[in-house]
Each structure stands twice: as structure tokens, then as C-alpha cells.
């Protein structure tokens, strides 16, 4: 410190008092003592008074300069602060300080700290009961010219009890007085609520809004808007306003993205400010919740924070900015207030932003439940928010879903790249020949199953809305694509429209629902699941033509790349070909050695329609849904087992490989990670021709997924022949099936199965069996792979002598 006023004045020495801590070097003060001197000259009094005034002035200037220097960093932050131009023509800083639940006695210092470190946007409300303390801080910095008032953006809100025209103005004037300002930058209607009973809000929102408009005209408020309003309620304001709403302040965070409202506001030029961006962890006592979810403790948010080197609060604030909102986090802790501003010079990478933007769990924390009244205008949440209320089980399911438990340590190198062969579809796109099926994959398991499949190299995922697990499939897809572990372009995602959604309108709605659940922008393939709608009458209604033309419109609009059918006959496909403008690319049907479906495969091949085989293992777990005349289990067939033994593969791999060589793509289902991986081990080997033809020649043929539940004596499908457009084939009885297994090895024609030998024959002679097997191999055709879909002449009886030799070998073994 320096002494002021008497450096060159010799008169000072007569009166200067030396006191420890008060000298010019220690305290910066000069103390005069006139008590010991009589008749002090008048000029000395004048000098002393002048020195005192000069010292006070210079000391105040020095302190003010020091205080202003403390705001320089804040001014620099303010200059870098991004702003949004409101439609009122004013700019709004994108980050502000929230003051809700900021206690009296704390909020004054909190606002002062915020202004000092660079905040210029302060969000207030009369109901917070702390505007006077906020005003103290604002007045302090503006009166001392530490912060210019024109750089501040002050928002307040009119409370529910002040909605009448008269009280709107009175409430605004009260806030202006408390905040110690001449105008508000933004004034909002806090809730679309007044607390009245009756069917409509009284006073009506129109009266309140028109009173707000008068505040703008009178210069008391620059911009006006709303808080906690739905798009429907905003649309109503737009129908009569003369001053358009500039801002809609609502709850927005990864647990409540509020995407539809944000999209609507963006389309109508209304800016959205996100309150409770950290998930409102301290408001549960006011707004009870179905699920005790704490966003800041979500492991995904924590992992993003770790990977970006930021804290959880900074990650969530940065997310809100990238989500298109301004944001008003609340804190009274000076270090947190400062830290919450450290979000301006970095961004969340796209995969991290998309991870937080794709959380399945969605729940409004500040739900407004206290405003519901069985006698008032808002009797349900749907009345208040103008949207369907989520069922509790849906909320609970969402909370446990998505990638909450996906390994955070997995990197792109952990995801195998397997060169799965593809088929070129008539649409021009390619379909991987091996995919993972998700039918009967239980919720809670399918998410991990799909993740495991993607990790070990699958890129073709077969789904359907009726499986009721597309949301979990979508969790896995979103996780790997948002983190760029797998490129979306490399995926082939198929879904299906269910029987109840065949009308033109519902086809599109069902497709959009699947897209949302799967968290993708388009489907690679969309199928009609069954040629069934459940109607009574002689013909299917809505007709398949209406459904197909709606599917074609999805292709034209880029929502779907290829379209096709499932469980259709060639006759029904031929009907589609007679009127379609977009040809079916795929027919997905049951194909395996117990139901080869050769005629349909041949017809599809001739008409350029690719066939995908579902239930390639014989659908062993669906008998409870589709009762069967014969309890045949393909995977337990001894012929299949022997082929597996001789090739050194398991039964599942043998059947999947057979399907590939039979000319189809194939979608085996499993939720077991080791089986999922093993089912893909079918690409670098082939079934020898004699093994392929053995499996292709089984006499026992039965459709496992037979669709019997769709038969109705009053409907369009009254018999299996109506449904499948084929004569009811003779199906072996159980006795005949067992007899076939025991005796068919004696058949010379390879078009019949080579069945299990009797126990007597298996014990009789084995001495020359290897010679017989070798002879059969030498007589066999050279390759089954040269014609992946064998013709009838190729697949049956191509060498009766070879068949007899192979049969002889089996009988001896």
C-alpha cells in the first residue's frame, strides 16, 4: 500500500502519529494527532482536510480498480459466450444460472460469483422467493459499473396465482422492484395452471398472454414466452398472439430428451431453454417418481465424463448445448458455478453425444403432478402435457434397458470383421447370407445376444415388431454405431409389419415405430410377416395390394431400402408381381432338411426373389405354439448327428451350412454367446456332396411353423391349403417316422433319407464299412457348392449306384 496526500508536505511531520500497523508502509494510512498542539494554524487544518479527502478518493479508486480487475476473466468468458438470436430480435446467452431452490442467504453470493466468473444470463421467478437477493447482486455490480446492465439477460416468471390481466402487470412490477432493474429481458408464464376448478383454465391463457404483450409494448419486458407448456398449448397461443412467444422453457436432459417438443419449437421459431439439465436430483420430495433414477449416477454418463476428462455436470450441460437448447444449471457452490461454464471450448464427440441421446429410459422428473385435480381442467398427466402417459411397466423397462451394462472397455478392435458372403437383391442392395434371428429371444437377453453377435462379426439382424424386443435390439445397435464400433452402413437390419398393421396408414406407423425402437433412420429390409389380417370373410382385408403399395411408399420415401414377404406362397407372390412397381426382394420362409420347400425355392430363383431360411435348425422350441402331428426333432436326427461327427462340426453348424448350400441366406437364433459365435463358423468349409445330398433327400417332410392358428372357418384361410396354396401333403405318422429312421437305409434311391440302422444291423458287420464309404464317396458328384440351390435332378438320385453304396456303408456302421 502507499500513503496518500503528504509525501511533499513538511507540515505533516508536526502531527504525524506513528502507530504499529497504521504507517504508510503497513496500512496505507496517515494518522494525524492535533490534540497535543494548541492553536493549530488554520492552513494546517485546511491541509489535513484536503489530504483526508484525497486519501479517501484515491483509496476508493484503487479498490474499485482492484475489484474491476477481478471481473476481467468474467468479461472474457462473456465475450466468448454463444448466444441465440430470439425472434424478438434480442440475443440470449446460451448458458445461464438457475436460481430455483437456491436458499435465501445463499443466492446473493451465488449470483455475485456467477456474474464475476462470466455468467450474464440469470433465471429467476417470483415463486422462488429470492428475487430480492438476486436483485442485490445485480444492483451491486451494475451500480459500481463492474458489469454493464445491457450485457445482462434477466428472466423472471409470472406465477399461477397472477394470471389475470391486472395481476400480470402487478407481478411484473413487483419482480422489477425486487430485482432492482428497469426492464426484464424475458418474462415467462411459469405454468399453464391457475388452480381453478372447472373444465377450462380461468383466467384463460389468452388473457394472460395479452397482458404479457402489453408489458412488451410498454417497455417493461423485451421478450415473452412460456414454461412447462406443450406444443398444443403453444399452438393455441400462436393462433391469437400479436407478439409471438420467443422462448419455451422446459425440462430437457438425457433422461427426458423432449425431442418432439424441441422439434416442434424449432419448426415454429421458438427457442427452448432446458431447465434441470442435470436431471433435477434434489426435487424428488416435490415430484415423486415411479423410478428412483439419478441421471448424474448413470454409469453411461460417468463413462463419458471419464473419457472426455470432464465432470458429470459439464458433460450434461455440454450435451444440452449440442441438443439445441440454452441451459440454466443451478448451483450455489462457487467452484461448481465456475466449473459449469467450462463447456465452451470443447464438444462431445458424435458417438458420446449419440450415446447420451439414445437412452431408452425416459421420464419427466418435474412432472407437475401437484396440479392435477379431479375437479379441475387438468385431471390427468395427459391433460397437463397433452401426450400419452407412459405406463409404469414401460418406464421400469426403459430404466433397465439400453447399454447400461455394456462393457465400457470394448473398442473397435474388439469387434471382428468377418467376410460373410452376400447375395445381391433385386433392389440392388446386398444381404449377408448369415444373420442372427431374434424370434423368441426373451427381453433382458436379446440385448446382450445382439451385442455378442455384432462383436463376433454378424452384420445381418432379423427382427419383427411382434417379437416385442426391438427396443433392446435397438439398444445394442445404437451402442455400437454411436461409438463407431460398427458402421451403420455395414449393417443389414430387417423388420416385419405385423398382421394388425396391414392398412396403408398403419403400415407406415408400424414402420416408424420399428425405426424408433431400433434407433435407426432406415431399414434395410421390411417384410409383410404373414399374408394374414385376422378378418372374417372370403378375402383378406385390407387386401395385400393395399399393404404392398404402402410398403412401396416406404421405399420411395427412403425409410426402407428393400421390401419383401414372409410365409407367402408362390401363388401369393405371383399376385404381388402382377401389380407391384417395386418387386419383392426377399421371401423369408421356413427351410431345413425336414422342410426343404424346394418348389418355392425354385420358383423364387426363377423370378429373381432371394429366399431367407428361418428356423434352419428345425424350430425345436416352437412346438407349444405350433402343435405337430409328429414329435420330430431335426437336431436329434441320427443322420444329422453322423454328418456332424464326420465333418468335425456341431449339429447346428451342419444345418446352417446345409441351408447356405441349399441356396438361401439363413438366420439362426441363439442367446448363448458361444453358440452365436459358433453358428458363424460355417464360411470356410463345405458339406461334401454326399453329405449335402444325404440331408437333402430325407423322406420325412413337415412344416414346423405351420400357421395353424390363422385358420378360421369364417375367414379367408379355412384350411392349410388355403393358407399355403398347396395340396395337403401326406405327413408320416409317428410310427411311420420311427420306421423311416430304422429302415430307410435299405432304400437305394438317395431321394429318400438314409435313416438310422436297426440295432441288429449295427451289430452284424463292420469289417468292410470303410471300403463301402470310400466307394460311395468316389461315386458321388464332385461338388455341391457349384450349384448352391440344386435342381431336382441334382439333389435326388443323381447316382443310384452311389446311393446304394452309401446306404450299404451306413447299414454296416
Amino acid at each position: 500500500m502507499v500513503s496518500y496526500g503528504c509525501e511533499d508536505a513538511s507540515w505533516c511531520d508536526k502531527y504525524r502519529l506513528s502507530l504499529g500497523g497504521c504507517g504508510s508502509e503497513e496500512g496505507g494510512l496517515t494518522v494525524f494527532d492535533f490534540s497535543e498542539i494548541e492553536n493549530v494554524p488554520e492552513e494546517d487544518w485546511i491541509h489535513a482536510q484536503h489530504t483526508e479527502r484525497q486519501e479517501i478518493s484515491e483509496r476508493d479508486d484503487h479498490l474499485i480498480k482492484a475489484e474491476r480487475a477481478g471481473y476481467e476473466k468474467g468479461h472474457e468468458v462473456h465475450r466468448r459466450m454463444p448466444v441465440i438470436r430470439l425472434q424478438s430480435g434480442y440475443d440470449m446467452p446460451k448458458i445461464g444460472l438457475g436460481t430455483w431452490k437456491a436458499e435465501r442467504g445463499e443466492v446473493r453470493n451465488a449470483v455475485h460469483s456467477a456474474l464475476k466468473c462470466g455468467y450474464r444470463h440469470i433465471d429467476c421467478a417470483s415463486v422462488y422467493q429470492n428475487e430480492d437477493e438476486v436483485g442485490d447482486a445485480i444492483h451491486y455490480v451494475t451500480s459500481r459499473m463492474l458489469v454493464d446492465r445491457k450485457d445482462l439477460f434477466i428472466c423472471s416468471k409470472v406465477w399461477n396465482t397472477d394470471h389475470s390481466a391486472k395481476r400480470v402487470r402487478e407481478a411484473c412490477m413487483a419482480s422489477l422492484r425486487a430485482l432492482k432493474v428497469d426492464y426484464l429481458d424475458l418474462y415467462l408464464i411459469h405454468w399453464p395452471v391457475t388452480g381453478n376448478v372447472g373444465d377450462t383454465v380461468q383466467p384463460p391463457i389468452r388473457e394472460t398472454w395479452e397482458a404479457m404483450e402489453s408489458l412488451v409494448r410498454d417497455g417493461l419486458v423485451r421478450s415473452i414466452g412460456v414454461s412447462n407448456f406443450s406444443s398444443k398449448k403453444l399452438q393455441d397461443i400462436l393462433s391469437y398472439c400479436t407478439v409471438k412467444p420467443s422462448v419455451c422453457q422446459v425440462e430437457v436432459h438425457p433422461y427426458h430428451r423432449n425431442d418432439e417438443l424441441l422439434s416442434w419449437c424449432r419448426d415454429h421459431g421458438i427457442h427452448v431453454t432446458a431447465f434441470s439439465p442435470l436431471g433435477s436430483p434434489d426435487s424428488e420430495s416435490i415430484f415423486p417418481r415411479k423410478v428412483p433414477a439419478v441421471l448424474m449416477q448413470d454409469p453411461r454418463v460417468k463413462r463419458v465424463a471419464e473419457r472426455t476428462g470432464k465432470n458429470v455436470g459439464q458433460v450434461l450441460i455440454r450435451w444440452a448445448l449440442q441438443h439445441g437448447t440454452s441451459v440454466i444449471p443451478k448451483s450455489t457452490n462457487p467452484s461448481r458455478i465456475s466449473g459449469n461454464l467450462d463447456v465452451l471450448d470443447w464438444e462431445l464427440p458424435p458417438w458420446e453425444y449419440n450415446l447420451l441421446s439414445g437412452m431408452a429410459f425416459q421420464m419427466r422428473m418435474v412432472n407437475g403432478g401437484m396440479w392435477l385435480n379431479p375437479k379441475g381442467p387438468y385431471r390427468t398427466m395427459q391433460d397437463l402435457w397433452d401426450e400419452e402417459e407412459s405406463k409404469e411397466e414401460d418406464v421400469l423397462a426403459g430404466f433397465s434397458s439400453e447399454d447400461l451394462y455394456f462393457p465400457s472397455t470394448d473398442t473397435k478392435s474388439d469387434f471382428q470383421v468377418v467376410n460373410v458372403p452376400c447375395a445381391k437383391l433385386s433392389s440392388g442392395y446386398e444381404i449377408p447370407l448369415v444373420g442372427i434371428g431374434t424370434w423368441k429371444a426373451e427381453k433382458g437377453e436379446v440385448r446382450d445376444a445382439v451385442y455378442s453377435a455384432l462383436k463376433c462379426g454378424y452384420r445381418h439382424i432379423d427382427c419383427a415388431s411382434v417379437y416385442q424386443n426391438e427396443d433392446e435390439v435397438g439398444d445394442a445397435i445404437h451402442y455400437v454405431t454411436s461409438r463407431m464400433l460398427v458402421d451403420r452402413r455395414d449393417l443389414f437390419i430387417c423388420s416385419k409389419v405385423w398382421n394388425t398393421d396391414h392398412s396403408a396408414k398403419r403400415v407406415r406407423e408400424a414402420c416408424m415405430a420399428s425405426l424408433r425402437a431400433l434407433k435407426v433412420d432406415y431399414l434395410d429390409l421390411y417384410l409383410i410377416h404373414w399374408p394374414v389380417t385376422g378378418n372374417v370373410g372370403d378375402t383378406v382385408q385390407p387386401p395385400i395390394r393395399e399393404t404392398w403399395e404402402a410398403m412401396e411408399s416406404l421405399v420411395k420415401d427412403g425409410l426402407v431400402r428393400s421390401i419383401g414377404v414372409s410365409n407367402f406362397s408362390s401363388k401369393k407372390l405371383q399376385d404381388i408381381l402382377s401389380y407391384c412397381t417395386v418387386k419383392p426382394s426377399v421371401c423369408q420362409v421356413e427351410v431345413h432338411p425336414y422342410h426343404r420347400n424346394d418348389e418355392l425355392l425354385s420358383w423364387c430363383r426363377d423370378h429373381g426373389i432371394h429366399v431367407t431360411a428361418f428356423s434352419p435348425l428345425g424350430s425345436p422350441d416352437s412346438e407349444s405354439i405350433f402343435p405337430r402331428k409328429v414329435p420330430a426333432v431335426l437336431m436329434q436326427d441320427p443322420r444329422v448327428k453322423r454328418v456332424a461327427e464326420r465333418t468335425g462340426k456341431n449339429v447346428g453348424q451342419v444345418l446352417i451350412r446345409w441351408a447356405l448350400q441349399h441356396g438361401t441366406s439363413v438366420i439362426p437364433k441363439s442367446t448363448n454367446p458361444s453358440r452365436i459365435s459358433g453358428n458363424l463358423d460355417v464360411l470356410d468349409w463345405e458339406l461334401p456332396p454326399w453329405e449335402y445330398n444325404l440331408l437333402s433327400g430325407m423322406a420325412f417332410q413337415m412344416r414346423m411353423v405351420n400357421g395353424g392358428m390363422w385358420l378360421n372357418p369364417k375367414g379367408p384361410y379355412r384350411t392349410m391349403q388355403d393358407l399355403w396354396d398347396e395340396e395337403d401333403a401326406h405327413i408320416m405318422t409317428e410310427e411311420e417316422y420311427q420306421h423311416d429312421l430304422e429302415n430307410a437305409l435299405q432304400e437305394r434311391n438317395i431321394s429318400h433319407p438314409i435313416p438310422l440302422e436297426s440295432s441288429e444291423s449295427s451289430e452284424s458287420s463292420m469289417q468292410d464299412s470303410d471300403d463301402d464309404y470310400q466307394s460311395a464317396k468316389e461315386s458321388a458328384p464332385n461338388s455341391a457348392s457349384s450349384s448352391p440351390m440344386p435342381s431336382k435332378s441334382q439333389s435326388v438320385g443323381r447316382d443310384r449306384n452311389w446311393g446304394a453304396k452309401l446306404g450299404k456303408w451306413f447299414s454296416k456302421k
Side-chain angles (χ1 to χ4, degrees):
M1 300 290 285
V2 298
S3 58
Y4 305 106
C6 62
E7 288 84 346
D8 300 323
S10 58
W11 67 270
C12 293
D13 294 336
K14 294 186 290 181
Y15 309 105
R16 191 194 305 272
L17 181 63
S18 296
L19 295 174
C22 294
S24 61
E25 292 184 2
E26 294 103 340
L29 296 175
T30 302
V31 180
F32 299 129
D33 182 4
F34 294 95
S35 62
E36 300 297 326
I37 301 176
E38 295 182 4
N39 301 319
V40 175
E42 184 176 356
E43 60 269 22
D44 289 352
W45 281 114
I46 294 172
H47 279 302
Q49 290 169 358
H50 173 74
T51 300
E52 181 181 21
R53 285 193 298 271
Q54 186 176 352
E55 283 196 2
I56 292 172
S57 175
E58 292 183 10
R59 184 172 68 249
D60 286 348
D61 288 344
H62 178 79
L63 293 174
I64 289 171
K65 288 178 182 177
E67 191 169 24
R68 286 178 181 167
Y71 279 76
E72 281 305 315
K73 182 180 178 182
H75 291 313
E76 175 58 30
V77 172
H78 164 60
R79 284 189 285 271
R80 293 190 295 113
M81 176 68 68
V83 297
I84 183 75
R85 176 63 57 87
L86 304 178
Q87 60 183 335
S88 60
Y90 294 99
D91 288 338
M92 176 182 191
K94 286 192 173 181
I95 304 176
L97 179 75
T99 60
W100 181 42
K101 290 180 66 64
E103 298 293 334
R104 290 186 64 83
E106 295 181 350
V107 70
R108 181 188 295 106
N109 291 334
V111 173
H112 200 167
S113 295
L115 293 169
K116 189 171 184 178
C117 65
Y119 289 79
R120 295 296 181 265
H121 175 179
I122 310 296
D123 183 78
C124 317
S126 61
V127 77
Y128 301 165
Q129 299 183 352
N130 57 18
E131 285 190 328
D132 56 339
E133 288 197 24
V134 176
D136 290 343
I138 292 171
H139 180 262
Y140 182 87
V141 298
T142 55
S143 64
R144 296 173 72 84
M145 295 185 291
L146 301 171
V147 175
D148 197 321
R149 170 62 183 99
K150 71 176 186 296
D151 292 334
L152 295 179
F153 190 95
I154 312 298
C155 170
S156 187
K157 310 177 191 76
V158 61
W159 186 237
N160 306 352
T161 53
D162 298 320
H163 275 217
S164 69
K166 178 182 177 184
R167 297 196 65 167
V168 167
R169 181 169 291 262
E170 292 173 349
C172 179
M173 296 303 297
S175 287
L176 289 171
R177 288 192 296 271
L179 292 166
K180 303 173 183 63
V181 292
D182 298 326
Y183 64 90
L184 293 173
D185 297 271
L186 179 63
Y187 201 39
L188 307 178
I189 302 176
H190 208 148
W191 287 87
V193 172
T194 63
N196 66 290
V197 297
D199 294 335
T200 59
V201 174
Q202 295 297 329
I205 298 297
R206 180 167 188 165
E207 178 180 334
T208 310
W209 187 258
E210 290 173 349
M212 301 273 282
E213 291 178 327
S214 74
L215 300 177
V216 176
R217 286 192 291 272
D218 294 344
L220 298 173
V221 171
R222 287 186 165 180
S223 306
I224 52 177
V226 297
S227 178
N228 299 297
F229 271 54
S230 66
S231 58
K232 181 180 178 182
K233 293 179 175 65
L234 272 166
Q235 183 65 63
D236 188 51
I237 291 175
L238 291 180
S239 70
Y240 54 72
C241 68
T242 59
V243 178
K244 193 174 176 182
S246 289
V247 171
C248 178
Q249 187 181 115
V250 288
E251 179 181 359
V252 181
H253 48 73
Y255 273 1
H256 184 65
R257 291 187 301 274
N258 224 334
D259 287 329
E260 290 187 8
L261 178 62
L262 266 68
S263 177
W264 187 93
C265 286
R266 184 170 58 248
D267 291 344
H268 290 79
I270 299 172
H271 176 70
V272 173
T273 295
F275 70 68
S276 297
L278 310 188
S280 197
D282 58 351
S283 67
E284 189 171 5
S285 60
I286 305 172
F287 304 102
R289 293 159 192 168
K290 296 177 181 178
V291 178
V294 181
L295 175 60
M296 296 183 74
Q297 295 177 9
D298 189 294
R300 291 160 290 189
V301 180
K302 289 183 176 180
R303 289 200 295 264
V304 173
E306 290 169 7
R307 291 191 293 265
T308 55
K310 303 296 181 180
N311 64 44
V312 166
Q314 291 167 334
V315 163
L316 293 172
I317 294 167
R318 184 65 232 182
W319 177 87
L321 294 176
Q322 290 178 224
H323 204 57
T325 69
S326 53
V327 61
I328 46 172
K330 186 271 292 183
S331 180
T332 57
N333 181 301
S335 64
R336 287 200 201 102
I337 289 171
S338 177
N340 288 345
L341 269 187
D342 184 17
V343 294
L344 301 178
D345 57 359
W346 60 280
E347 286 190 350
L348 291 170
W351 53 93
E352 305 287 28
Y353 169 76
N354 289 327
L355 169 64
L356 299 182
S357 298
M359 293 184 178
F361 174 70
Q362 294 290 285
M363 184 175 73
R364 197 186 301 273
M365 305 298 178
V366 183
N367 55 43
M370 76 281 280
W371 309 131
L372 304 186
N373 183 343
K375 297 182 180 180
Y378 304 122
R379 301 173 188 185
T380 66
M381 286 292 188
Q382 187 172 348
D383 293 334
L384 180 60
W385 297 108
D386 300 306
E387 60 190 21
E388 292 290 337
E389 184 177 1
S390 299
K391 295 179 181 178
E392 183 166 359
E393 57 267 27
D394 293 338
V395 174
L396 291 169
F399 184 61
S400 62
S401 71
E402 231 259 300
D403 52 354
L404 191 57
Y405 302 109
F406 287 145
S408 62
T409 55
D410 282 347
T411 64
K412 191 169 185 176
S413 62
D414 295 310
F415 283 72
Q416 297 181 42
V417 177
V418 178
N419 293 320
V420 178
C422 296
K424 178 66 72 71
L425 302 179
S426 61
S427 61
Y429 295 99
E430 293 186 337
I431 181 173
L433 291 183
V434 184
I436 183 168
T438 59
W439 180 43
K440 289 179 66 63
E442 298 292 333
K443 285 184 73 71
E445 296 181 353
V446 69
R447 182 197 308 107
D448 294 336
V450 173
Y451 184 80
S452 295
L454 293 169
K455 193 172 180 181
C456 67
Y458 289 79
R459 295 298 180 263
H460 175 178
I461 312 294
D462 183 77
C463 316
S465 61
V466 77
Y467 301 164
Q468 298 184 351
N469 58 18
E470 285 190 327
D471 56 337
E472 289 197 20
V473 175
D475 291 341
I477 291 171
H478 177 263
Y479 185 83
V480 301
T481 55
S482 65
R483 298 185 68 200
M484 296 193 292
L485 302 172
V486 175
D487 195 319
R488 169 64 182 97
R489 294 172 298 177
D490 295 334
L491 295 179
F492 189 95
I493 300 169
C494 170
S495 187
K496 309 177 191 77
V497 61
W498 186 237
N499 306 352
T500 54
D501 298 319
H502 276 215
S503 70
K505 178 183 178 184
R506 296 195 67 167
V507 166
R508 180 169 291 263
E509 291 173 349
C511 179
M512 295 304 296
S514 287
L515 289 171
R516 287 191 297 271
L518 292 166
K519 303 171 184 64
V520 294
D521 298 326
Y522 64 90
L523 294 173
D524 298 271
L525 178 63
Y526 201 40
L527 307 178
I528 302 176
H529 207 148
W530 288 86
V532 172
T533 64
N535 66 291
V536 296
D538 293 335
T539 59
V540 174
Q541 295 298 328
I544 297 298
R545 180 167 187 164
E546 178 179 335
T547 310
W548 188 257
E549 289 173 349
M551 301 274 281
E552 291 178 326
S553 74
L554 300 177
V555 176
K556 295 182 181 72
D557 293 343
L559 299 173
V560 171
R561 289 187 164 180
S562 305
I563 52 177
V565 297
S566 179
N567 299 297
F568 270 54
S569 66
S570 58
K571 180 180 177 181
K572 292 179 175 66
L573 272 166
Q574 183 64 62
D575 187 53
I576 291 176
L577 291 179
S578 71
Y579 55 72
C580 68
T581 59
V582 179
K583 185 177 175 180
S585 291
V586 171
C587 178
Q588 187 181 117
V589 288
E590 179 181 358
V591 180
H592 48 74
Y594 273 2
H595 183 65
R596 292 187 301 275
N597 224 335
D598 286 330
E599 290 187 8
L600 177 63
L601 266 68
S602 177
W603 186 93
C604 286
R605 184 175 65 252
D606 292 344
H607 290 80
I609 298 173
H610 175 75
V611 174
T612 295
F614 69 69
S615 298
L617 311 187
S619 198
D621 58 351
S622 67
E623 189 171 4
S624 61
I625 305 172
F626 305 103
R628 292 159 192 168
K629 297 178 180 179
V630 179
V633 182
L634 176 61
M635 295 182 74
Q636 294 177 10
D637 189 294
R639 291 160 288 192
V640 179
K641 288 183 176 181
R642 285 206 187 96
V643 173
E645 291 170 7
R646 290 192 296 269
T647 55
K649 303 295 181 180
N650 64 44
V651 166
Q653 292 167 332
V654 164
L655 293 172
I656 294 167
R657 184 65 229 183
W658 176 87
L660 294 176
Q661 291 178 222
H662 204 56
T664 70
S665 54
V666 61
I667 46 172
K669 186 273 290 184
S670 180
T671 57
N672 181 300
S674 63
R675 288 199 201 103
I676 290 169
S677 177
N679 287 346
L680 203 54
D681 183 17
V682 294
L683 304 177
D684 57 358
W685 61 278
E686 289 187 347
L687 290 170
W690 51 92
E691 307 285 31
Y692 168 76
N693 281 292
L694 169 64
L695 300 182
S696 298
M698 292 183 177
F700 176 74
Q701 294 288 287
M702 182 175 74
R703 197 186 301 273
M704 305 297 179
V705 183
N706 55 42
M709 77 281 278
W710 309 131
L711 303 186
N712 183 343
K714 296 182 180 181
Y717 304 122
R718 301 172 188 185
T719 66
M720 286 292 188
Q721 186 174 349
D722 293 334
L723 180 61
W724 297 109
D725 300 306
E726 58 191 21
E727 294 291 335
D728 285 338
H730 170 70
I731 297 177
M732 291 181 178
T733 65
E734 185 172 353
E735 183 179 354
E736 289 172 331
Y737 174 65
Q738 293 300 328
H739 184 71
D740 174 66
L741 292 180
E742 293 170 358
N743 298 308
L745 280 174
Q746 305 307 317
E747 297 289 339
R748 294 174 58 84
N749 192 336
I750 198 63
S751 66
H752 295 348
I754 301 180
L756 176 65
E757 69 284 354
S758 66
S759 59
E760 292 180 1
S761 65
S762 67
E763 296 173 357
S764 62
S765 175
M766 298 185 64
Q767 57 191 1
D768 60 346
S769 61
D770 290 338
D771 291 338
D772 289 329
Y773 183 60
Q774 185 62 33
S775 176
K777 288 174 63 178
E778 291 170 354
S779 302
N782 289 330
S783 175
S785 62
S786 61
S787 178
M789 169 55 204
S791 67
K792 185 175 288 187
S793 63
Q794 290 175 313
S795 62
V796 294
R798 287 189 290 184
D799 187 338
R800 290 178 180 271
N801 185 50
W802 166 68
K805 291 177 181 178
L806 192 57
K808 181 180 178 183
W809 180 83
F810 272 120
S811 65
K812 291 180 179 180
K813 295 293 281 187

